[in-house]
Amino acid sequence: MAQNKKEMIVRAAIEVFRNKGIEKTKISDIVQVAGVAQGTFYLYFPSKLSLMPAIAEVMVEKTMEILRSAVSEKASFSDQMQQFVEAIFKINEEYHEIQALIYSGLASTEHLKEWEAVYEPIYVWLSEKLDKAKDTGEIRNSIRSAHTAKLIIGLVESAAEQIYLYDSQAENMADTQKKEVKEFLKHALQME
Amino acid sequence: MAQNKKEMIVRAAIEVFRNKGIEKTKISDIVQVAGVAQGTFYLYFPSKLSLMPAIAEVMVEKTMEILRSAVSEKASFSDQMQQFVEAIFKINEEYHEIQALIYSGLASTEHLKEWEAVYEPIYVWLSEKLDKAKDTGEIRNSIRSAHTAKLIIGLVESAAEQIYLYDSQAENMADTQKKEVKEFLKHALQME
Amino acid sequence: MAQNKKEMIVRAAIEVFRNKGIEKTKISDIVQVAGVAQGTFYLYFPSKLSLMPAIAEVMVEKTMEILRSAVSEKASFSDQMQQFVEAIFKINEEYHEIQALIYSGLASTEHLKEWEAVYEPIYVWLSEKLDKAKDTGEIRNSIRSAHTAKLIIGLVESAAEQIYLYDSQAENMADTQKKEVKEFLKHALQME
Amino acid sequence: MAQNKKEMIVRAAIEVFRNKGIEKTKISDIVQVAGVAQGTFYLYFPSKLSLMPAIAEVMVEKTMEILRSAVSEKASFSDQMQQFVEAIFKINEEYHEIQALIYSGLASTEHLKEWEAVYEPIYVWLSEKLDKAKDTGEIRNSIRSAHTAKLIIGLVESAAEQIYLYDSQAENMADTQKKEVKEFLKHALQME
DNA sequence: TATGAATGAGATTTCATTCAT
DNA sequence: CATGAATGAAATCTCATTCAT
């Protein structure tokens, strides 16, 4: 049961944060949605911000799930990148408020080390893809997978965020932006 | 005098935000550092978040100053990009807490449109550089300057942030990361 | 005005503590009686217990007032002691809840040094009386005033407290107890 | 086993109260130290304050033990008083926090009658000593044992407390204070 | 304009107590 | 008897905002 309540709180927090933003969200909002008592919250989390790592973990899990199902193992690297960009944009469309809140939660948190660990799976996943592509000669050999993985993720996520954060005509822009990113990547990695 | 106080408040806010983060900062902290009375704050800003555009403006000014002085007008595009990357990393090293806070302040604000306008100068600056480079044939012609400018800034800033937010061995990594970014850009833009 | 509110809070606190005891008293009770806002309390005191030194100060002032008016300057030392005992018993009858709460507040406070300073005036007052009586030969010469003053105050106060704290038939016992204390003191100081 | 747990709770309560004070002590602190479950507390005590009589009982038992072993049956009354003062100071040195907490617990409890009963053994013990001394002519005949016993205990305990509560140079002062109390008592009781 | 004491709504936080196991 | 997760009423405390000066 214990794990259950903790999970319910995290799930509820994500939902409420998405709707109201971090600052306007009260603990009481979260527990109400979670269906637990006010005190129960403090059984698991000392404060609102201490939820962030748990939320980030959930988001990373979701992201990994989507990446695994959206990016075909058998496709060429070039196609995989196309799928990858599509997937990140889709995740961002769905969850850009959470991305933002994780980022801003991150900015307030002191335990930055925790964050690194949490995001590791995504970096590893992409890094392996790059390694394989180097082996097959699909991308230039000078690529350093670990670093480039982080660059790519930073690039694609910031591109996606630009769409949903800055632009009013999000819908229209998304496709253009995606195309641009794919093109950019294609050259950067010197794909065939 | 009036303008003076307003500026003092913005300056103080930047300082306090850098040290404590947005959420933990109280108006009273800001006015104390600014050396003005509690009530004076409300003469100039209706709320804590309404400071953000003013702060962003200051940051953009600073950024533009640095870019203008760091990136030589006469250098080749390739060299300019090198200088650009160096400059953004330097700005980030100095101000990464503020970058983060602007971003997170941005996430909480409803008036996103203001932000776009504030950042416009940087986008325009880079966009013009790209246009010129296309003209001289220094980069591939298929580049769409306005979009690519945003992509590049997103890429370089996220790369710089990764250094200062995530990595413990920041100093060591910075050079590697910069080199990687330059390489990445060189290929992405197909510089000669 | 400021000092005013602080005083009102202390006054109200004494009143409420007397009626409800420390533990059952909420900050909200105090501010309600004081007629100030909840937040005003925290402008002057960080917590309920931090009121104690201020309360003790008020009590010491009251005690000194009563002592000065009840103990005749011109009377013989023997008569002064009689008046002193009567006065302490009267103060205790009126304020024994506060004595108790000061004592228990004292037990929880870390800043014991503050307390010493606060009670000093009473010790000094009695000490001077003892010095004079030694000079006039009214009490034995071997008395060490400063120490004995504390002993006497401890004796008389604990005797008075016993009446009001432990005994049910307080009224009846008071006179007997007072007589006993006076007799005890008479011999202890070897008054003529 | 049952009696066992109850005792463990009382023991733990004494320890925790000594360290944190009554008000800051939570039931959860007590049960944690006692090594029993939260709910178990309520099997034996209806509330935090209902622990006080049990704690006082333990303290009185300890006090009586020490008095019996420290005060020689065969010694002269004068010597017994010397030993008594020494013993009370020693007890106070060891347990002054508990004395204070019992006192303050007492102040919050409504059932003061319980307290009287608990302390009775000490009063009776001293009262009997006084009676015997009157019979042997070692002290003045006008002494009323029951009352005087309470006065003496009040005097000696307040003297001892003054040492450990107020004075910083406790070690140095203790001897002076003890000597002063003994002298004071000697005269008050008109010992030979 | 400028002040800063005062406000009080509303948030956080506590913790004695319960109860299903 | 014993447990300890869960509760939620009730407390503490915060702080953006006001307003008389």
Side-chain angles (χ1 to χ4, degrees):
Chain A
M1 188 87 181
Q3 194 55 27
N4 217 337
K5 299 252 172 186
K6 189 174 180 180
E7 259 181 62
M8 283 158 77
I9 290 169
V10 174
R11 242 186 274 280
I14 291 176
E15 187 183 331
V16 182
F17 281 155
R18 280 179 72 178
N19 294 331
K20 313 186 60 163
I22 295 182
E23 271 191 278
K24 283 185 200 148
T25 295
K26 305 168 245 171
I27 306 278
S28 63
D29 296 329
I30 297 172
V31 295
Q32 193 185 325
V33 169
V36 302
Q38 188 88 351
T40 304
F41 180 90
Y42 290 91
L43 231 44
Y44 298 106
F45 301 98
S47 71
K48 209 165 64 176
L49 286 180
S50 65
L51 273 166
M52 289 305 153
I55 290 179
E57 222 162 313
V58 169
M59 276 309 299
V60 169
E61 273 165 31
K62 270 202 176 114
T63 303
M64 286 305 299
E65 260 173 47
I66 293 175
L67 286 181
R68 284 203 198 87
S69 80
V71 178
S72 160
E73 284 292 337
K74 299 172 194 163
S76 70
F77 179 73
S78 176
D79 286 350
Q80 287 188 332
M81 278 301 95
Q82 304 268 331
Q83 293 160 353
F84 171 76
V85 171
E86 294 283 347
I88 294 292
F89 270 69
K90 177 165 287 171
I91 292 165
N92 230 283
E93 182 177 8
E94 181 89 25
Y95 296 108
H96 58 94
E97 309 97 332
I98 303 188
Q99 305 277 8
L101 78 87
I102 288 177
Y103 189 98
S104 89
L106 177 156
S108 341
T109 306
E110 268 79 45
H111 322 286
L112 288 180
K113 290 298 109 184
E114 296 184 45
W115 291 93
E116 248 184 299
V118 166
Y119 276 100
E120 206 56 25
I122 303 180
Y123 292 138
V124 168
W125 177 89
L126 182 55
S127 193
E128 285 172 357
K129 289 269 176 285
L130 289 168
D131 277 334
K132 208 175 291 177
K134 272 163 64 181
D135 287 350
T136 60
E138 285 170 289
I139 58 176
R140 62 183 161 97
N141 209 47
S142 58
I143 289 288
R144 296 177 64 198
S145 315
H147 278 91
T148 306
K150 292 187 179 185
L151 290 186
I152 292 175
I153 289 166
L155 168 71
V156 182
E157 287 202 332
S158 76
E161 278 159 22
Q162 276 164 22
I163 293 291
Y164 302 109
L165 285 176
Y166 297 100
D167 289 322
S168 36
Q169 337 87 309
E171 300 310 310
N172 326 348
M173 300 298 268
D175 282 343
T176 322
Q177 182 85 326
K178 270 187 276 185
K179 201 153 53 178
E180 210 70 34
V181 171
K182 290 172 186 167
E183 186 75 6
F184 195 86
L185 272 179
K186 194 183 78 185
H187 288 104
L189 303 174
Q190 272 181 325
M191 300 187 206
E192 301 305 83
Chain B
M1 186 85 181
Q3 192 55 24
N4 217 339
K5 301 244 173 190
K6 188 174 182 180
E7 258 181 64
M8 283 157 76
I9 290 169
V10 173
R11 243 187 274 279
I14 290 176
E15 185 183 330
V16 181
F17 282 154
R18 279 178 75 173
N19 293 332
K20 315 186 58 163
I22 295 183
E23 275 195 271
K24 284 183 200 148
T25 295
K26 301 167 244 173
I27 305 279
S28 64
D29 296 328
I30 297 172
V31 294
Q32 193 184 325
V33 170
V36 301
Q38 193 87 353
T40 305
F41 182 89
Y42 291 91
L43 253 30
Y44 300 106
F45 300 98
S47 74
K48 197 165 69 173
L49 289 179
S50 65
L51 273 168
M52 288 305 154
I55 290 177
E57 224 162 309
V58 169
M59 277 308 300
V60 168
E61 272 165 31
K62 266 196 179 119
T63 303
M64 285 306 298
E65 262 172 48
I66 293 175
L67 285 182
R68 283 201 199 89
S69 79
V71 179
S72 159
E73 284 293 337
K74 300 169 192 166
S76 71
F77 180 74
S78 177
D79 286 350
Q80 289 188 330
M81 277 300 96
Q82 304 265 333
Q83 294 161 350
F84 171 76
V85 171
E86 294 283 346
I88 295 290
F89 270 70
K90 178 164 287 170
I91 292 166
N92 228 283
E93 184 177 6
E94 182 88 28
Y95 297 106
H96 57 93
E97 311 98 332
I98 304 188
Q99 307 274 8
L101 81 85
I102 288 176
Y103 188 99
S104 89
L106 176 157
S108 341
T109 308
E110 264 82 43
H111 321 286
L112 288 179
K113 289 299 109 186
E114 297 184 47
W115 291 94
E116 253 184 295
V118 166
Y119 275 100
E120 206 56 23
I122 304 180
Y123 292 138
V124 168
W125 178 90
L126 183 54
S127 194
E128 286 171 358
K129 289 268 177 286
L130 290 169
D131 278 335
K132 209 176 292 177
K134 274 165 63 182
D135 288 350
T136 61
E138 285 172 290
I139 58 174
R140 65 183 157 96
N141 209 46
S142 59
I143 289 288
R144 296 176 63 197
S145 315
H147 277 92
T148 305
K150 292 189 177 184
L151 288 187
I152 291 175
I153 290 167
L155 168 70
V156 182
E157 288 203 328
S158 79
E161 277 159 22
Q162 275 164 23
I163 292 291
Y164 301 108
L165 286 175
Y166 298 102
D167 287 324
S168 36
Q169 337 89 305
E171 301 308 309
N172 327 346
M173 299 298 267
D175 283 341
T176 323
Q177 182 85 329
K178 271 186 276 185
K179 201 154 52 178
E180 211 67 38
V181 172
K182 292 169 186 171
E183 185 76 7
F184 196 86
L185 274 179
K186 194 184 79 184
H187 288 104
L189 303 174
Q190 269 180 327
M191 301 186 206
E192 299 306 83
Chain C
M1 188 82 183
Q3 194 56 25
N4 218 337
K5 301 253 172 187
K6 190 176 181 180
E7 260 181 61
M8 284 158 76
I9 290 169
V10 174
R11 243 186 272 282
I14 291 176
E15 186 183 330
V16 182
F17 281 155
R18 280 178 73 177
N19 294 332
K20 315 186 59 163
I22 296 182
E23 271 190 279
K24 282 182 201 149
T25 295
K26 304 168 245 171
I27 306 277
S28 64
D29 296 329
I30 296 172
V31 296
Q32 193 184 325
V33 170
V36 302
Q38 189 89 351
T40 305
F41 181 89
Y42 291 92
L43 228 46
Y44 298 107
F45 301 99
S47 73
K48 207 165 65 178
L49 287 180
S50 65
L51 273 166
M52 289 305 153
I55 289 178
E57 223 163 312
V58 169
M59 276 310 298
V60 168
E61 272 166 31
K62 270 201 176 113
T63 303
M64 286 305 299
E65 260 172 48
I66 292 174
L67 286 182
R68 283 202 198 89
S69 77
V71 179
S72 160
E73 282 293 335
K74 300 170 191 165
S76 69
F77 179 74
S78 176
D79 285 351
Q80 287 188 334
M81 278 302 96
Q82 304 267 330
Q83 292 159 354
F84 172 75
V85 172
E86 294 283 347
I88 296 291
F89 269 70
K90 177 165 285 170
I91 292 165
N92 230 282
E93 184 177 4
E94 181 88 26
Y95 296 108
H96 58 91
E97 310 97 331
I98 302 186
Q99 307 277 7
L101 78 85
I102 288 176
Y103 189 98
S104 91
L106 179 158
S108 339
T109 308
E110 268 81 42
H111 321 289
L112 287 180
K113 290 299 109 188
E114 296 186 47
W115 292 93
E116 249 184 297
V118 167
Y119 276 101
E120 206 58 22
I122 304 180
Y123 292 139
V124 168
W125 178 89
L126 183 53
S127 194
E128 287 171 356
K129 289 269 177 286
L130 290 169
D131 278 335
K132 209 176 290 178
K134 273 165 62 181
D135 288 349
T136 61
E138 285 171 291
I139 59 173
R140 62 183 161 95
N141 210 47
S142 60
I143 289 289
R144 296 177 64 198
S145 315
H147 278 89
T148 305
K150 292 190 178 181
L151 289 186
I152 291 174
I153 289 166
L155 169 70
V156 182
E157 287 203 331
S158 77
E161 278 160 20
Q162 275 165 23
I163 294 292
Y164 302 109
L165 286 176
Y166 297 101
D167 290 322
S168 35
Q169 336 90 306
E171 301 309 310
N172 327 344
M173 302 296 267
D175 284 342
T176 321
Q177 183 84 328
K178 270 186 276 184
K179 203 155 48 181
E180 212 69 38
V181 171
K182 290 170 186 171
E183 186 75 7
F184 195 86
L185 272 181
K186 195 183 76 187
H187 288 104
L189 303 175
Q190 269 181 329
M191 300 187 206
E192 300 302 88
Chain D
M1 186 82 182
Q3 193 55 26
N4 217 338
K5 301 244 173 191
K6 187 174 182 179
E7 260 181 61
M8 284 157 76
I9 290 170
V10 174
R11 243 186 274 280
I14 290 176
E15 186 183 330
V16 182
F17 281 154
R18 281 179 74 174
N19 294 332
K20 313 186 57 164
I22 295 182
E23 275 194 272
K24 283 182 202 151
T25 296
K26 302 168 245 175
I27 304 279
S28 65
D29 296 327
I30 297 173
V31 297
Q32 192 184 326
V33 170
V36 302
Q38 191 90 351
T40 306
F41 182 90
Y42 292 90
L43 254 31
Y44 299 106
F45 300 98
S47 75
K48 198 166 68 174
L49 288 179
S50 65
L51 272 167
M52 288 304 154
I55 289 177
E57 227 162 309
V58 168
M59 277 309 300
V60 169
E61 272 165 30
K62 265 195 181 123
T63 303
M64 286 307 298
E65 261 172 46
I66 293 175
L67 286 182
R68 283 203 198 87
S69 79
V71 179
S72 160
E73 283 292 338
K74 299 170 192 162
S76 69
F77 179 74
S78 178
D79 285 350
Q80 289 189 331
M81 278 302 96
Q82 305 266 329
Q83 293 160 354
F84 171 76
V85 171
E86 294 283 348
I88 295 292
F89 269 70
K90 178 165 284 169
I91 291 165
N92 228 282
E93 185 176 5
E94 182 88 27
Y95 296 108
H96 59 93
E97 310 98 332
I98 303 187
Q99 306 276 9
L101 82 83
I102 288 176
Y103 188 99
S104 89
L106 176 157
S108 344
T109 309
E110 265 81 44
H111 321 288
L112 289 178
K113 289 301 108 186
E114 296 185 48
W115 291 93
E116 256 183 293
V118 166
Y119 275 99
E120 207 55 23
I122 303 180
Y123 292 138
V124 167
W125 177 89
L126 183 54
S127 193
E128 286 172 356
K129 288 271 179 282
L130 288 170
D131 278 335
K132 209 176 288 177
K134 272 163 66 181
D135 287 350
T136 61
E138 284 172 291
I139 58 172
R140 65 182 158 93
N141 209 48
S142 59
I143 290 288
R144 297 176 65 198
S145 317
H147 278 89
T148 306
K150 292 189 178 183
L151 290 186
I152 292 174
I153 289 167
L155 169 70
V156 182
E157 288 202 330
S158 78
E161 277 160 21
Q162 275 165 22
I163 294 292
Y164 301 110
L165 284 176
Y166 298 102
D167 290 322
S168 33
Q169 336 90 306
E171 301 308 309
N172 327 345
M173 299 299 268
D175 283 342
T176 322
Q177 183 87 326
K178 269 187 275 184
K179 203 158 44 181
E180 212 69 37
V181 171
K182 289 170 187 170
E183 186 76 5
F184 195 86
L185 273 180
K186 195 182 79 184
H187 288 104
L189 303 175
Q190 273 182 325
M191 301 187 204
E192 300 304 87

